[in-house]
């Protein structure tokens, strides 16, 4: 089994690149953003709680997100591996994921961190907001998300760096060029199936 974390600030392209990666390597995609948006659209109690945070550009509480992930991993016991997209986003989430995977006798093998300058992030998120109907479609919420990223999520990169698993990737090249760079790192662990 091969498990990858795709890491980066809001709008760095985690969702975009995850799609390409799971198709190329036949991995399971776990996006906490997608899972939360699904809960919101179905008006579940979890979704109603999560929406309060998401609409303000804040992270959803750790216990909510960690509970969701555990069930999702159990759904596909025969997976070739997982791409964790947008998770972990806090150090407690990273520690919980390590414990969960250890219990399942596996681990995170590689963390690829997309590095994109802030003005480009804002531009992309405004562009996505114009068509997606997502709540982070204005500069005030985007600024809050980036602040939240620096205070709570950036320490996750330090955590994986301490464990020798982090690779930094230039993320402001074109989508295909960025993908090519990502595959160079993944190919050291796993061969493409397509
Ligand atoms: P997410 O759904 O994870 O998404 P994101 O960070 O906004 O964007 P991503 O990096 O995936 O960028 P994308 O590919 O779309 O988070 C949403 C919210 O959910 C969070 O704010 C939080 O409240 C909550 N949440 C999620 N996970 C959580 C957790 N673990 N704990 C707590 N809360 C959690 O790319 C953005 C745009 O750029 C797109 O339009 C794309 O087409 C474009 N783009 C991508 N790559 C490009 C490139 N190379 N060049 C030009 N454009 C590019």
């Amino acid at each position: 089994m091969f498990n990858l974390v795709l890491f980066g600030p809001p709008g760095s392209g985690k969702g975009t690149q995850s799609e390409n990666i799971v198709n190329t390597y036949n991995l399971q995609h776990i996006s906490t953003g997608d899972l939360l948006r699904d809960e919101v659209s179905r008006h579940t109690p979890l979704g109603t709680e999560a929406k309060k945070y998401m609409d303000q550009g804040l992270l959803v509480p750790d216990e909510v997100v960690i509970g969701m992930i555990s069930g999702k991993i159990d759904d596909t016991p025969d997976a070739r591996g997982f791409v964790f997209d947008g998770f972990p986003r806090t150090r407690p989430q990273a520690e919980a994921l390590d414990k969960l995977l250890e219990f399942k006798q596996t681990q995170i093998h590689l963390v690829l961190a997309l590095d994109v300058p802030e003005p480009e992030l804002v531009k992309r998120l405004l562009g996505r907001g114009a068509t997606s109907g997502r709540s982070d479609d204005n500069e005030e919420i985007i600024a809050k998300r980036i602040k939240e990223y620096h205070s709570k999520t950036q320490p996750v990169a330090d955590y994986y760096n301490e464990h020798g698993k982090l690779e930094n990737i230039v993320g402001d090249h074109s989508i295909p060029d960025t993908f090519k760079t990502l595959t160079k790192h993944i190919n050291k662990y796993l061969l493409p199936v397509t």
Side-chain angles (χ1 to χ4, degrees):
M1 185 177 260
F2 169 77
N3 299 309
L4 170 75
V5 170
L6 204 55
F7 182 83
S12 55
K14 301 181 292 290
T16 305
Q17 297 297 344
S18 290
E19 289 296 326
N20 293 333
I21 293 170
V22 296
N23 291 334
T24 304
Y25 296 93
N26 189 23
L27 298 169
Q28 291 294 318
H29 185 194
I30 298 191
S31 158
T32 41
D34 286 350
L35 292 173
L36 290 167
R37 279 185 290 278
D38 179 57
E39 297 279 345
V40 171
S41 71
R42 290 189 290 114
H43 303 286
T44 64
L46 192 157
T48 307
E49 177 67 10
K51 189 174 187 311
K52 292 184 214 157
Y53 297 90
M54 295 169 82
D55 283 355
Q56 292 181 68
L58 301 174
L59 292 181
V60 173
D62 287 337
E63 57 276 16
V64 174
V65 182
I66 291 165
M68 250 178 20
I69 287 283
S70 176
K72 198 68 193 161
I73 295 174
D74 290 338
D75 282 351
T76 46
D78 298 328
R80 194 181 189 212
F82 293 91
V83 175
F84 295 96
D85 159 11
F87 178 86
R89 261 179 157 103
T90 63
R91 203 170 166 121
Q93 288 183 16
E95 288 165 352
L97 180 61
D98 275 354
K99 283 208 189 99
L100 210 67
L101 294 178
E102 196 185 328
F103 183 69
K104 295 173 199 303
Q105 297 183 323
T106 184
Q107 58 169 317
I108 291 298
H109 297 88
L110 179 65
V111 179
L112 296 175
L114 293 165
D115 184 18
V116 177
E118 202 167 307
E120 173 69 14
L121 295 175
V122 175
K123 194 177 113 196
R124 286 185 191 179
L125 290 173
L126 288 173
R128 186 180 69 187
T131 54
S132 67
R134 282 175 58 161
S135 51
D136 54 349
D137 61 353
N138 65 76
E139 294 213 33
E140 189 194 336
I141 299 295
I142 291 169
K144 246 190 182 170
R145 286 201 61 195
I146 292 174
K147 191 167 165 230
E148 188 91 329
Y149 169 79
H150 286 303
S151 65
K152 295 188 181 159
T153 306
Q154 187 62 48
V156 173
D158 303 333
Y159 175 83
Y160 285 118
N161 200 23
E162 286 157 21
H163 290 78
K165 294 181 176 175
L166 184 79
E167 295 287 348
N168 290 299
I169 308 292
V170 175
D172 62 345
H173 293 154
S174 70
I175 292 171
D177 284 352
T178 305
F179 180 60
K180 213 180 275 173
T181 311
L182 293 169
T183 59
K184 277 187 193 146
H185 289 278
I186 301 171
N187 288 347
K188 292 177 195 160
Y189 295 81
L190 196 67
L191 290 177
V193 291
T194 55

